[in-house]
Amino acid sequence: MASPLELKLAFWNCALSPTKATQRFSDADIEIAVYVIKSLFTLHKVQFVGLCEISRTSYDKLYDAFKYDGIDGYLLDDKTSTGTQFDLACFYLRKQIVVEKQAFVTSQLGTSSLKAAQHLVMFDLRSKSAIDIIISHWPSQLQGISK
């Protein structure tokens, strides 16, 4: 178990909602994701897992799988002023930390609004400390957008 001052975080591109896929996810994909995320909590002793490429439907399925394991979650699917939507989420051990959502961060590039990050504040209940968490899924390609 982690000491009160030790906090382990993980981030995973779970690809349950990739932008160019026609088939978003299968039940088998959800089972694999549940296994990987539970392994991060149980085997690797993380207290917080950030995810990207996740939809509301896939988040809901994961949340249902974790709700009796002491794991809580937050879907971060805000829309920007131009209508693009974030595809982020997080899960965390609710007896050890509390997460509060803050503002999302965007950046303008030409006429496009880029989804830069989601800002969270994580409160470690053991050490009574607050930590700013920035979850970002920066696109590997800006899909033809230029300055």
Side-chain angles (χ1 to χ4, degrees):
M1 177 171 242
S3 72
L5 300 178
E6 181 178 274
L7 192 60
K8 290 186 178 181
L9 314 174
F11 182 80
W12 181 37
N13 180 339
C14 62
L16 291 175
S17 183
T19 56
K20 295 184 180 176
T22 54
Q23 174 69 25
R24 293 295 191 199
F25 61 87
S26 67
D27 288 343
D29 294 330
I30 294 294
E31 287 177 26
I32 292 167
V34 167
Y35 174 79
V36 169
I37 295 166
K38 280 188 178 182
S39 294
L40 289 169
F41 285 115
T42 57
L43 297 176
H44 300 284
K45 306 298 183 202
V46 302
Q47 289 86 24
F48 176 95
V49 177
L51 302 171
C52 70
E53 292 191 8
I54 186 165
S55 66
R56 173 164 295 283
T57 305
S58 55
Y59 169 83
D60 288 345
K61 288 182 177 287
L62 293 176
Y63 186 87
D64 286 345
F66 301 140
K67 65 184 174 188
Y68 300 114
D69 294 327
I71 298 169
D72 209 348
Y74 224 126
L75 179 63
L76 306 163
D77 65 346
D78 295 301
K79 286 189 179 181
T80 69
S81 60
T82 59
T84 59
Q85 192 166 11
F86 282 88
D87 63 349
L88 303 170
C90 67
F91 287 98
Y92 54 92
L93 296 178
R94 70 172 149 260
K95 287 186 178 179
Q96 294 181 19
I97 62 175
V98 173
V99 174
E100 289 183 2
K101 186 174 146 186
Q102 305 296 309
F104 59 84
V105 181
T106 61
S107 178
Q108 290 298 124
L109 183 58
T111 58
S112 295
S113 177
L114 301 177
K115 303 170 297 202
Q118 285 275 357
H119 177 200
L120 306 170
V121 176
M122 180 174 58
F123 298 94
D124 184 338
L125 299 174
R126 300 161 302 163
S127 66
K128 309 292 187 228
S129 14
I131 301 166
D132 285 297
I133 303 290
I134 307 297
I135 300 178
S136 180
H137 178 213
W138 196 257
S140 56
Q141 297 179 10
L142 294 178
Q143 301 172 348
I145 299 172
S146 61
K147 291 182 181 181

